[in-house]
Amino acid sequence: MIKRERYLAKIRPFYDSDLVKVITSIRRSGKSVILNQIRDEIKNITDNIIYLNFERTADFMKASDAATLIKYVNANKKAGKCYIFLDEVQEVEDWQVAVKDLRLDNNSIFITGNNSTLLSSEILALLSGRFVSFKIETFVYLEIKEYMDQLGRESSVTDYLIWGGFPGRLAINSLEAQKDYLYDLKNTIVYNDLIKRYNIRKTVIFKKIVNFILMSNARIISARSIYKYVNNAIGSVSLTTVLKYIEYLKEAYIIKQISQYSAKTKKELAYYYKLYNTDVCFNSLSVINNRFDLDHNLENIVYNELIYREYTVKVYDNNGKEIDFYAVKDNKEYYIQVAYSVVNEKAYDREFSAFENLSHLAQKIIITTDEIDFSTSVVRHITLKSFLHMNDFTY
C-alpha cells in the first residue's frame, strides 16, 4: 500500500500532543492503513505502544467497554509516554469516557471511526473539544497511479472518471468484480448504515431520494428543487424530510456541499449550492446501459482534487454566468471552468464567456479532456491529464 504523505504530514506535529487524534472518513477509504503507518513511524522511537483493532473479535474481547479499555491500557503500558491506537473505536461502549480519561495520563491517543457511527457533528460533543481531527478521502489520481505502479498495472484517467478512488477496488483485477465490490460498498455505506442508524422506516422512498441526490452531483441545486422532483416522481414527502436526508449524507461524508457566491450581491446565496459525491462511483453505479455521466463526474473529480490539495472552494455566479470554482490557496485566487470538451463552438463560447469582466489579478483556468491547447491571452487551458498530474497550480 502507498504511503499517504499528505495526510501523515498534517498529523505528525501532533504525535506527542495530549489532544486526541481523530482520523475519520467514509468507510473503506484507507484510514486504518494510515493509522498503521503512523504506528510504524512511532515504532522507530519507542516500543511503548498499544494497538487495538475493534473489528477483530480478539481485540474487542480485551476491551469491549470503557472500564475494561482503561484497565487493559493501564495493565499493558510501560513507563513514560504511551502511544495508544484504537481502530474502529465506536465498537467500544462509552469509548469517549475511556479516551477522555486516558489522555490525562501521559498518553498520546489515536482513534479511527467509520462514517456511520462516528459522525462529524458528534466528535465535538463526545470529546468536549479535546481533539484534533483529520478527514481522509478516497484516492486521488496520483495516489491511484502510485498504487497501480506497485501492482504492476496501468492506471487509466477514464477509469478514474467512472469508478473513482476507493482503494479496495484497485486490488481487484476484473472490472466486473470491482463493480460488485462497489455495489456492496454503496449498499452498506449509503443505505444500510444510515437506515440502521437513523431508524428509517420508509426505506424505498429513502433510497430513491438518496439515489437522485447522488446522481445530481456537480449541479446547482436546492433542497426545494429536490423536494419538487421527489413529489413528482416518487410521492408525497415533506421538505423537512428531504433536508434531513441531505444532512444525513453530509454528516456521513457521502456528499459534500459548497455554496454559491454571487458577484452581483457580493454574498453567498443561501438557497442554492452544489453537491459533490465523495466518490464518483456513487453516480456511475446508478446509470443505465453504461451511459456514464462523464461531464458531471469530471467536475466532481476536479472538485475532489482541489479539496485534497487544500484549496478553499466556492461556486461563483459571475452576474448570471456560472464559474464552476472560485478557488483560493496561499492568498492566490483562481477562477476555474470544467468542461469535457470545448471543441464545439457553442461549448467554447459558453465556457470562455463565463470569464468576462473578472479580476485580472486572479488566474483564469479551463480544464477539459481536449488535447488541443485552447489557451488565450487571459485564459489558461489545462488538459485533464496534466491537471491530475499536478500538485498545485503555478502562476
Side-chain angles (χ1 to χ4, degrees):
M1 181 58 72
I2 65 171
K3 190 169 186 177
R4 304 186 76 180
E5 179 59 31
R6 187 177 287 265
Y7 296 111
L8 291 170
K10 293 178 186 177
I11 303 171
R12 281 192 194 103
F14 298 93
Y15 278 8
D16 292 322
S17 171
D18 65 352
L19 294 172
V20 180
K21 280 65 70 176
V22 182
I23 302 171
T24 62
S25 72
I26 195 166
R27 195 193 291 262
R28 299 294 176 257
S29 60
K31 60 185 178 297
S32 294
V33 171
I34 288 178
L35 192 70
N36 278 296
Q37 291 176 350
I38 295 168
R39 183 175 59 151
D40 288 343
E41 290 189 354
I42 291 175
K43 279 181 181 178
N44 292 325
I45 59 173
T46 181
D47 63 353
N48 195 5
I49 294 172
I50 293 174
Y51 173 84
L52 293 168
N53 180 351
F54 295 107
E55 285 191 328
R56 295 176 181 166
T57 302
D59 284 356
F60 179 73
M61 295 301 292
K62 294 173 184 174
S64 59
D65 57 35
T68 54
L69 176 55
I70 293 171
K71 184 178 179 180
Y72 178 85
V73 169
N74 287 335
N76 288 276
K77 64 180 292 190
K78 300 176 183 178
K81 182 177 286 291
C82 182
Y83 297 83
I84 302 169
F85 296 86
L86 307 175
D87 202 359
E88 302 297 351
V89 72
Q90 75 282 342
E91 301 296 333
V92 177
E93 183 180 354
D94 295 327
W95 62 267
Q96 68 276 13
V97 175
V99 167
K100 285 195 286 188
D101 190 354
L102 290 169
R103 66 173 288 274
L104 300 174
D105 193 22
N106 198 25
N107 298 313
S108 179
I109 302 175
F110 302 78
I111 68 173
T112 74
N114 71 55
N115 61 301
S116 67
T117 49
L118 190 61
L119 303 183
S120 53
S121 63
E122 294 179 327
I123 298 170
L124 181 60
L126 292 172
L127 296 178
S128 306
R130 300 180 180 91
F131 72 97
V132 57
S133 65
F134 305 91
K135 185 168 177 287
I136 309 304
E137 308 290 349
T138 58
F139 279 0
V140 295
Y141 181 72
L142 283 179
E143 292 180 311
I144 291 174
K145 186 176 185 304
E146 183 180 354
Y147 186 42
M148 295 299 273
D149 286 346
Q150 285 184 2
L151 297 175
R153 290 161 46 200
E154 293 294 321
S155 55
S156 161
V157 171
T158 301
D159 177 79
Y160 178 43
L161 277 179
I162 297 172
W163 301 116
F166 274 108
R169 80 166 181 93
L170 299 170
I172 303 169
N173 288 320
S174 161
L175 177 58
E176 288 306 309
Q178 288 185 26
K179 288 161 68 174
D180 288 342
Y181 170 84
L182 292 174
Y183 275 119
D184 289 343
L185 198 59
K186 179 181 178 183
N187 284 333
T188 300
I189 294 171
V190 180
Y191 299 134
N192 298 346
D193 283 352
L194 296 185
I195 287 169
K196 180 180 179 181
R197 177 175 180 83
Y198 294 107
N199 194 27
I200 297 169
R201 293 192 176 92
K202 296 181 179 179
T203 57
V204 173
I205 290 176
F206 172 74
K207 289 181 179 180
K208 287 183 178 179
I209 293 173
V210 168
N211 200 55
F212 173 75
I213 293 170
L214 295 177
M215 293 188 70
S216 299
N217 59 329
R219 293 163 174 85
I220 292 290
I221 205 166
S222 69
R224 189 166 294 278
S225 65
I226 299 173
Y227 165 74
K228 288 181 179 178
Y229 162 80
V230 168
N231 279 270
N232 288 333
I234 298 174
S236 180
V237 178
S238 70
L239 178 59
T240 301
T241 297
V242 172
L243 288 168
K244 189 165 57 177
Y245 289 170
I246 292 172
E247 288 304 310
Y248 292 169
L249 292 170
K250 286 163 56 180
E251 284 207 323
Y253 315 123
I254 294 164
I255 62 172
K256 304 167 189 174
Q257 176 181 314
I258 63 171
S259 57
Q260 184 180 29
Y261 182 87
S262 171
K264 186 175 182 179
T265 61
K266 307 296 183 185
K267 65 180 182 181
E268 291 185 4
L269 302 178
Y271 299 105
Y272 293 94
Y273 46 81
K274 277 190 175 182
L275 298 176
Y276 292 95
N277 296 337
T278 289
D279 195 275
V280 294
C281 75
F282 292 144
N283 179 306
S284 299
L285 291 168
S286 301
V287 304
I288 299 173
N289 297 326
N290 293 332
R291 297 290 296 170
F292 299 115
D293 190 0
L294 296 181
D295 289 305
H296 292 101
N297 277 6
L298 171 55
E299 185 179 327
N300 202 142
I301 286 290
V302 171
Y303 170 78
N304 288 346
E305 294 272 346
L306 290 172
I307 294 301
Y308 173 78
R309 299 174 198 182
E310 300 181 46
Y311 286 85
T312 300
V313 179
K314 288 184 174 64
V315 184
Y316 194 85
D317 177 4
N318 185 19
N319 295 311
K321 294 182 178 180
E322 179 193 323
I323 299 285
D324 292 321
F325 302 114
Y326 169 62
V328 179
K329 182 178 179 182
D330 298 331
N331 296 318
K332 295 178 181 178
E333 299 175 294
Y334 305 85
Y335 294 102
I336 304 166
Q337 282 287 78
V338 182
Y340 195 79
S341 174
V342 290
V343 171
N344 179 277
E345 187 175 352
K346 287 185 178 180
Y348 180 95
D349 291 342
R350 180 183 66 248
E351 301 298 338
F352 278 80
S353 67
F355 292 110
E356 292 175 354
N357 303 316
L358 291 174
S359 168
H360 294 296
L361 299 176
Q363 188 172 158
K364 302 167 190 67
I365 295 169
I366 185 163
I367 299 170
T368 79
T369 62
D370 300 316
E371 293 297 327
I372 300 170
D373 186 1
F374 287 100
S375 298
T376 69
S377 59
V378 294
V379 179
R380 177 186 176 190
H381 175 226
I382 301 175
T383 66
L384 174 62
K385 186 175 181 180
S386 295
F387 169 73
L388 293 177
H389 283 82
M390 292 176 174
N391 286 314
D392 279 307
F393 298 118
T394 54
Y395 275 81

